[in-house]
Amino acid sequence: MNKTILEERKSQMHRIGEEPFAMACNRPSLAGAVSQRACVFCGSRVVLYPIADALHLVHGPIGCATYTWDIRGAISSGPQLHRLSFSTDLQEMDVIFGGEKKLEASLRELIGLHNPKAAFVYSTCIVGLIGDDLEAVCRRVSEDTGITVLPVMSEGFKGNKREGYAAACKAMFRLVGTGDTTGISPMSVNILGDFNLAGETWIVREYFKKMGVETVANITGDGRVDDIRRCHGAALNLVQCSGATMELAKMMEEKYGIPYQRVSYLGVEDMADSLYKVADFFSDRDPEIKAKTVELVRGELSVLMPKLAELRRDLEGKKVAMYVGGSFKAFSLVKAFRHLGMSVVVVGSQTGTEEDYKELAAISDPGTIIVDDANPLELAQFIKEKDVDVFVGGVKERPIAYKLGVGFCDHNHERKIALEGFIGMYNFAREIHASVMSPIWRFMPRRNARPATSARVTCIPKEAVNG
Amino acid sequence: MANTYVSTTNACKMCTPMGAALVFKGIENAVPFLHGSQGCATYMRRYIISHYREPVDIASSALGEKSAVYGGGPNLKKGILNVMRKYDVDLVGVATTCLTETIGDDVGRYLYEFREEFADLPLPELVHVSTPSYSGTHMEGWHAAVRSLADQVVKEKGASHGGVNLLPGFLSPADYRFLRGLGERSGVRFTMLPDLSRTMDGVIWDDYHSLPDGGTPVADIRAMGGAAGTIEFGMSGGLAESASGVLERKFGVPARKTMIPIGLRATDAFMDTLSEFAGCDMPEKDAFDRGRLLDAMVDGHKYIFGKRAVVYGEEDFVIAMCSFLGEIGVQPVLAATGTQGERFREAVTEALGDVCVNMPVIRSGADFKDIEEEAAELAPDLLVGHSKGYKLARASNIPLIRVGFPIHDRFGGQRILHVGYEGALSLYDMLVNAVLEKSQDECPVGYGYL
C-alpha cells in the first residue's frame, strides 16, 4: 500500500474474504487525516432543522449558522421558518463577558418577530468553553414568552455527528408528551429519521394512508412542533437512518411503552419489507391490512419493474463505490444496486458501528472494501483500484469522483430528487443511469484506455421525477 | 434604518478561518490546516466545493473534549506530521478557530517546538494565522492570512528582480487567470498572492493528485522582498498593517493600495500604478478591450441609465462594483456588507462621488434581514451580489446578477470574470441583458428586436 493510507488508519478498513472480519470504528477522527466527518453541532442541526414551525437559533460565531443556512432539501408543506438562518453571531466581547445576555435578547427579539411554535437553541464549541448557562436562559425566556425554548447541547468538539443526534433527540423528547392525544387512531405510526428531502416523507405517508395507517408525526421531515408534542399517542415508531432518531424511539419506548421498528424506504425490497412490517404489526387490529399492503406493493412493482428492467440493460455489470454518512442507508443501497445488475465494490461510512459493519460485510461480495471515516486520498485510491463506474456520496465526495472521470450520484441530506419509495427507486435508477451512461466518460484521460465503453445517450421518457 | 436588533438573520458574511483557508488554497502545494474541532474544516470544505466544484482538502487537528481542556498542541503536531506523510506539501497554513483561540493555544510556540522536534525531517514552510471566528468576517481572515504569509515566509529582501507583488484579495479564479495573463502580456514579473486560478478551477486528471496544480510557488513568495513595488487591492480588511505594509517596513518595497479593478476607472488606476512600478506600457489587448468597453457603454447606455441597484457582498468587492455601476449610469441605492466599520461608508462615497449625484444607503455589519428591509423601501431594479440574494430576488421579482462568492445555485461561478476592461465588458453585458430580459418578459408582445 502506498502513502495515501496512514498506518493508524489501516485498522478502519477491511477487504471481504481476505481476512477474518475485524474493523475499528467509532473512533475520534485522526488529526491531519482530512476526515469527511462533521461535528456534534452538525448532527443536531441535521435532525432538528426540518421542523418547519420552530425557530432554530445557533448560539455561536457566524460560521456555524452560515454554513448550515437552508443547506438541505427538507421541504415543508406550510411554514418555512426553518429555512432562515438565525445566529447570535458572537463577538469578542461576548466571549470575554459571556454570551447569555445576547442570547436572551436574541431569543426574545426573534420570538417576537416570528412567533414560532417552539425554539431550539444550538450550542456550539465556543459556548461549551465559555460556559453560558443555556438551560437557565431558555427557561427564563420560555416562562416569559410562553414559547417552549429548548437548549440543544451540541458543542462541536464533544464528538462526531452521532453525539449530535443524541443531543437533538434529548431536546425533542422534552416536547413529546406535552400535547393532547385524543382522536389518534389505534392504527398509527410516527415516521422517525426521515427528513422529507424533495418530498420523500410525503411518498411514504401516502403508502401508509393507503394501508389505513395514520401518521401522527413526521420526525422531522415536514415536521411540526404540535405533532411532536402528541406523537406519544401513536401505536408504533418507525425508525429510519443510522440512528439519527433511534435514541428518541428508545426513550419513547421506555417512557410511553411505544415499540419501534427499524425500516428503510430506499430500494425495492427494503421499501416493501418496511410496509409489510407495519402491516404485520397492525394485522390483529385490521385483518385486511396485509391484503391491502400486498395489493399496494404489487401495484407499484408492476409499474416499476419493467421500467427498471429497461435501465438495467444498460447498467448490468457496472461497479459502484459508495461513501455515506450513516451505514444503515448503505444496506439498502447495496440491495438496490443489485436490482440494477450492478455490484457495490467499495462501501464506507462516516459513523458506522461495529454491528453495522458486520452486517454490511455479511451482505457484500468477496473483495469488497469496507472503510470507516475515510478521507479523499483513500477514497480516490479505492475508486481507482476497483475501477468503479459510479460513486455515491455527498457534495464533499463529488469532486473526488469527477476529477477521476467517474460518474457520481448525490445521495445525502442535500439531494434534490426524491429517492425513497417505489417512485424514488425509479428516480434513483434514472439518476444512476444518467451518471453512468453519459458519453462524456469516453473522453476522460484516465479511462479512455479502457475497451470501448457502452456509454451512450439514451433518452428517458419524460415523467414526474418527484412523485 | 439602523441596525437595532441583536441577532443575525441570514448572514451576509462567513467566518475568519474560512478566509484564511481560501488563501492557503492559493499557494502551490499547500494544505490549509484548521486548528480546532473537525466540523469547521468539513463545513467549510462543503461550502467551498459547492461553488468551485473542485477537491478542497482542508486538514483539521480534530480536537475533542480532552484537547479542549488540556490544549491542542499534541493534536496539532500529530496532524501536521500526518499531512506531511500524505501530501507532498511545501507549506502548511495553520489557522486557528474559536475553540483554540479561546483555550489560548499558542500556535506560534507549538510550531517552533515542532520545528525543533522534527529538525531531522525535510519540513514544509509552516505559517500560522490567528483567526478567532468571533472577530470579523472571512475577509478579515483572508487579509490576516496574506499578511502572515508575507511576514513569516519572506525572510530577507533577496535580490532585486524588478517584479511587482500583486495582492488581489478575494476574486474568482477567472479574475486571477486574467491577472496572470496581464503579467505575461505586459512582461512584468508578477507575484500574485494568493493565486486561485488553477487550484480552484482546474483540469480533469488522469490520476488522482493529492494536491491540485497551480498556486503561488513558495519560492516566489520568498522573493517578494526584492520586488519593485506591491499593489494591494482593497482596504486589507482594516488591518493596521497589511501584507503590503509588512513588505514595505521590512524590505522597503513601496506599497500602494488601489480599488479592486472592476470597471473603467478602477482598471485605469490599476494600469497606471502597474506602469509606474514596472515601467510597462498598457498591453495592446487591454488597450483594445478598453476601447471595446467604451463602445459597449455607448451602445447600451439608454437601457440601463438610472436603473436602481442593490449591491451586497464583501466590503472591497461592493465598493468596486458600486464604482462600476455608477460610471455606467446605474444608481446604487443600497451598498451593504457584513463587515463592520465606518471605512466602508467612506470608500463607497469616494468611489461614487464623481459619477453619482445621490449616495446610496450604505450599510456595514448588514445581514439579509437588513438588506430585505432596505430593499423594500428602495424599489431597486437590480440586485447585484452572490447567490444568497436569491430569496429576495424571488420574493420581489427583481433580476439578480450573480457575482462574487458564493454562487451555489448556478453553474460556473468560478469562471465569472469581474476585473479588467474585459471583465467590465462581460459584466456590462450581463447587466444590460438582465434589464432587457425583464422588460421583454413583461412586454405584452415579447418584442424580438431592440
Side-chain angles (χ1 to χ4, degrees):
Chain A
M1 203 137 305
N2 61 29
K3 68 182 234 171
T4 56
I5 293 174
L6 293 163
E7 200 54 43
E8 293 103 309
R9 291 264 322 123
K10 287 184 180 163
S11 62
Q12 284 170 273
M13 299 161 197
H14 176 77
R15 284 158 195 268
I16 292 175
E18 291 182 16
E19 59 225 300
F21 183 79
M23 248 186 82
C25 56
N26 241 336
R27 285 182 176 179
S29 295
L30 181 64
V34 192
S35 166
Q36 305 292 92
R37 274 182 184 169
C39 58
V40 183
F41 165 73
C42 168
S44 299
R45 195 89 163 98
V46 172
V47 173
L48 297 174
Y49 158 87
I51 303 174
D53 56 356
L55 180 87
H56 301 272
L57 174 61
V58 180
H59 186 34
I62 201 63
C64 308
T66 295
Y67 308 136
T68 55
W69 173 9
D70 200 18
I71 204 167
R72 323 231 169 235
I75 304 181
S76 163
S77 56
Q80 305 289 336
L81 191 53
H82 65 305
R83 302 186 60 195
L84 300 181
S85 169
F86 301 110
S87 168
T88 50
D89 191 2
L90 288 181
Q91 301 295 309
E92 201 153 9
M93 287 299 139
D94 304 316
V95 174
I96 297 169
F97 297 109
E100 290 180 23
K101 268 191 186 161
K102 192 171 194 184
L103 171 62
E104 186 164 339
S106 297
L107 270 173
R108 289 180 192 280
E109 171 185 83
L110 292 169
I111 288 172
L113 279 169
H114 298 282
N115 194 28
K117 288 282 185 180
F120 293 100
V121 177
Y122 300 77
S123 182
T124 56
C125 285
I126 189 77
V127 172
L129 288 179
I130 62 177
D132 280 359
D133 188 348
L134 251 61
E135 193 68 54
V137 174
C138 292
R139 193 173 49 239
R140 262 201 307 279
V141 177
S142 279
E143 279 163 11
D144 293 355
T145 60
I147 302 288
T148 308
V149 184
L150 298 165
V152 186
M153 306 315 283
S154 51
E155 294 83 359
F157 59 80
K158 284 200 320 198
N160 63 38
K161 257 167 135 178
R162 276 185 173 279
E163 281 78 8
Y165 298 155
C169 288
K170 273 185 198 140
M172 277 194 290
F173 191 58
R174 292 165 69 161
L175 280 177
V176 175
T178 60
D180 181 9
T181 58
T182 31
I184 293 178
S185 158
M187 300 228 317
S188 55
V189 297
N190 295 313
I191 297 177
L192 271 63
D194 195 79
F195 303 108
N196 200 35
L197 307 171
E200 289 175 338
T201 306
W202 299 333
I203 298 173
V204 177
R205 275 185 74 120
E206 192 59 30
Y207 294 151
F208 291 141
K209 198 174 155 191
K210 284 183 180 159
M211 291 160 58
V213 174
E214 176 187 344
T215 303
V216 180
N218 327 310
I219 300 173
T220 51
D222 197 17
R224 298 291 182 277
V225 171
D226 285 345
D227 292 344
I228 300 174
R229 287 186 189 280
R230 67 196 290 266
C231 74
H232 60 297
L236 175 66
N237 275 333
L238 300 173
V239 186
Q240 195 189 223
C241 196
S242 277
T245 51
M246 185 52 97
E247 191 125 341
L248 182 68
K250 285 182 178 161
M251 288 189 281
M252 284 176 70
E253 183 176 50
E254 196 175 316
K255 186 160 177 190
Y256 301 102
I258 303 171
Y260 68 85
Q261 288 184 344
R262 291 195 85 162
V263 292
S264 166
Y265 313 123
L266 298 165
V268 179
E269 287 107 329
D270 284 2
M271 183 66 243
D273 283 350
S274 298
L275 296 179
Y276 289 139
K277 266 190 193 175
V278 175
D280 277 345
F281 183 84
F282 289 118
S283 58
D284 51 349
R285 290 173 217 191
D286 175 11
E288 302 293 305
I289 191 169
K290 277 189 132 167
K292 269 190 271 183
T293 309
V294 169
E295 193 192 331
L296 166 69
V297 172
R298 188 179 293 149
E300 293 283 342
L301 291 186
S302 65
V303 178
L304 174 67
M305 295 316 273
K307 292 198 217 166
L308 286 189
E310 203 177 303
L311 297 172
R312 181 178 172 138
R313 273 202 294 277
D314 289 336
L315 296 173
E316 192 84 50
K318 304 279 184 193
K319 286 180 284 182
V320 183
M322 68 168 87
Y323 189 70
V324 293
S327 54
F328 198 66
K329 181 163 65 188
F331 306 141
S332 295
L333 291 180
V334 168
K335 290 183 244 174
F337 275 116
R338 289 201 178 123
H339 270 286
L340 300 174
M342 301 169 76
S343 57
V344 175
V345 291
V346 179
V347 54
S349 88
Q350 289 174 24
T351 57
T353 62
E354 207 186 330
E355 295 78 59
D356 292 339
Y357 288 125
K358 257 188 203 152
E359 202 177 321
L360 205 48
I363 62 164
S364 296
D365 298 327
T368 303
I369 299 172
I370 299 188
V371 57
D372 176 62
D373 188 18
N375 56 55
L377 296 186
E378 291 169 7
L379 292 171
Q381 182 178 321
F382 296 148
I383 289 172
K384 283 192 308 181
E385 181 192 322
K386 293 290 184 182
D387 196 15
V388 306
D389 297 283
V390 66
F391 184 38
V392 178
V395 175
K396 288 189 303 294
E397 284 79 56
R398 185 175 59 201
I400 302 168
Y402 282 177
K403 278 295 177 197
L404 286 170
V406 169
F408 180 80
C409 169
D410 187 351
H411 203 309
N412 77 345
H413 286 286
E414 295 170 38
R415 60 187 186 256
K416 304 293 187 288
I417 302 172
L419 303 179
E420 288 182 358
F422 300 105
I423 175 74
M425 178 66 200
Y426 180 52
N427 292 340
F428 175 65
R430 288 185 3 155
E431 165 96 9
I432 293 295
H433 187 267
S435 310
V436 174
M437 298 310 294
S438 170
I440 62 164
W441 307 125
R442 297 179 187 196
F443 315 121
M444 297 300 130
R446 194 182 67 88
R447 303 182 79 198
N448 59 12
R450 305 165 86 195
T453 120
S454 61
R456 67 193 193 283
V457 181
T458 317
C459 287
I460 300 205
K462 208 176 165 184
E463 308 179 32
V465 169
N466 280 326
Chain B
M1 205 181 296
N3 184 350
T4 50
Y5 73 109
V6 191
S7 49
T8 298
T9 300
N10 298 342
C12 187
K13 59 180 176 181
M14 288 151 260
C15 65
T16 37
M18 160 76 100
L22 277 165
V23 167
F24 295 130
K25 282 303 296 175
I27 311 301
E28 190 175 56
N29 299 326
V31 170
F33 190 115
L34 293 188
H35 186 37
S37 63
Q38 178 61 46
C40 305
T42 304
Y43 263 139
M44 287 177 211
R45 288 176 60 208
R46 187 256 164 261
Y47 201 82
I48 297 171
I49 286 171
S50 74
H51 175 90
Y52 294 100
R53 297 165 181 271
E54 292 287 337
V56 179
D57 287 13
I58 299 176
S60 169
S61 44
L63 300 186
E65 204 146 17
K66 253 191 212 157
S67 312
V69 177
Y70 298 109
N75 266 45
L76 175 62
K77 292 174 188 171
K78 191 170 156 191
I80 294 173
L81 279 179
N82 280 338
V83 167
M84 286 164 55
R85 286 191 186 117
K86 293 211 311 174
Y87 298 87
D88 285 319
V89 66
D90 292 342
L91 183 144
V92 179
V94 182
T96 53
T97 58
C98 61
L99 176 64
T100 49
E101 283 288 331
T102 308
I103 63 176
D105 266 6
D106 184 346
V107 173
R109 184 170 59 90
Y110 292 153
L111 295 185
Y112 175 80
E113 288 168 4
F114 183 89
R115 289 188 195 101
E116 301 276 298
E117 237 171 283
F118 300 103
D120 52 324
L121 297 177
L123 294 182
E125 195 73 58
L126 302 171
V127 176
H128 65 99
V129 55
S130 165
T131 42
S133 36
Y134 41 76
S135 182
T137 71
H138 58 299
M139 287 318 298
E140 272 87 351
W142 176 287
H143 291 295
V146 177
R147 185 190 187 285
S148 286
L149 285 164
D151 194 34
Q152 295 167 36
V153 180
V154 193
K155 292 176 179 100
E156 53 188 38
K157 181 163 175 61
S160 290
H161 52 72
V164 171
N165 302 323
L166 181 59
L167 312 177
F170 187 19
L171 301 174
S172 75
D175 292 327
Y176 296 111
R177 207 154 38 233
F178 172 85
L179 293 168
R180 280 168 59 96
L182 176 63
E184 283 156 22
R185 288 196 293 282
S186 60
V188 180
R189 172 179 166 167
F190 264 6
T191 300
M192 189 157 61
L193 180 67
D195 176 2
L196 292 131
S197 60
R198 292 183 197 167
T199 55
M200 299 306 284
D201 190 13
V203 299
I204 198 84
W205 292 338
D206 53 0
D207 193 2
Y208 200 78
H209 300 192
S210 62
L211 290 166
D213 303 322
T216 316
V218 172
D220 288 9
I221 305 176
R222 288 198 185 110
M224 286 172 87
T230 305
I231 303 175
E232 187 162 11
F233 293 164
M235 299 180 295
S236 317
L239 284 179
E241 188 187 47
S242 65
S244 66
V246 168
L247 294 171
E248 186 166 59
R249 171 172 54 82
K250 286 169 96 170
F251 310 113
V253 183
R256 187 74 58 81
K257 289 187 189 181
T258 68
M259 199 190 290
I260 297 175
I262 297 178
L264 180 72
R265 294 171 304 155
T267 305
D268 284 349
F270 168 53
M271 291 293 184
D272 288 348
T273 311
L274 186 60
S275 111
E276 186 190 325
F277 277 152
C280 60
D281 292 327
M282 176 157 1
E284 199 182 322
K285 176 208 179 310
D286 300 270
F288 189 67
D289 284 347
R290 188 177 189 279
R292 292 167 69 221
L293 173 62
L294 292 175
D295 192 61
M297 282 161 75
V298 171
D299 291 342
H301 69 281
K302 267 190 221 311
Y303 305 113
I304 50 167
F305 177 79
K307 294 292 175 199
R308 301 158 65 82
V310 163
V311 193
Y312 59 86
E314 281 107 24
E315 184 178 48
D316 290 323
F317 190 79
V318 171
I319 295 162
M321 194 56 78
C322 280
S323 164
F324 171 56
L325 291 169
E327 71 194 16
I328 60 173
V330 174
Q331 170 70 55
V333 287
L334 170 64
T337 185
T339 299
Q340 297 279 357
E342 267 308 292
R343 59 184 189 263
F344 179 62
R345 170 177 307 280
E346 290 157 21
V348 172
T349 309
E350 196 187 321
L352 287 174
D354 246 10
V355 287
C356 285
V357 177
N358 300 313
M359 283 302 124
V361 174
I362 300 171
R363 291 290 307 267
S364 50
D367 61 12
F368 276 93
K369 179 172 183 291
D370 298 318
I371 294 170
E372 284 169 26
E373 281 172 7
E374 297 282 6
E377 310 272 313
L378 294 166
D381 302 296
L382 293 164
L383 299 180
V384 181
H386 50 71
S387 279
K388 301 299 181 191
Y390 173 62
K391 188 173 158 282
L392 171 61
R394 182 182 167 115
S396 47
N397 188 27
I398 305 169
L400 168 61
I401 314 299
R402 287 172 177 79
V403 287
F405 174 92
I407 296 180
H408 287 156
D409 64 338
R410 282 293 182 276
F411 198 68
Q414 70 276 52
R415 291 184 284 273
I416 297 175
L417 180 64
H418 310 86
V419 303
Y421 304 118
E422 191 187 329
L425 191 50
S426 66
L427 288 179
Y428 191 79
D429 289 344
M430 278 164 73
L431 284 159
V432 176
N433 285 333
V435 171
L436 292 178
E437 185 177 344
K438 181 135 183 355
S439 56
Q440 190 176 26
D441 286 351
E442 288 172 355
C443 160
V445 294
Y447 55 83
Y449 288 94
L450 291 180

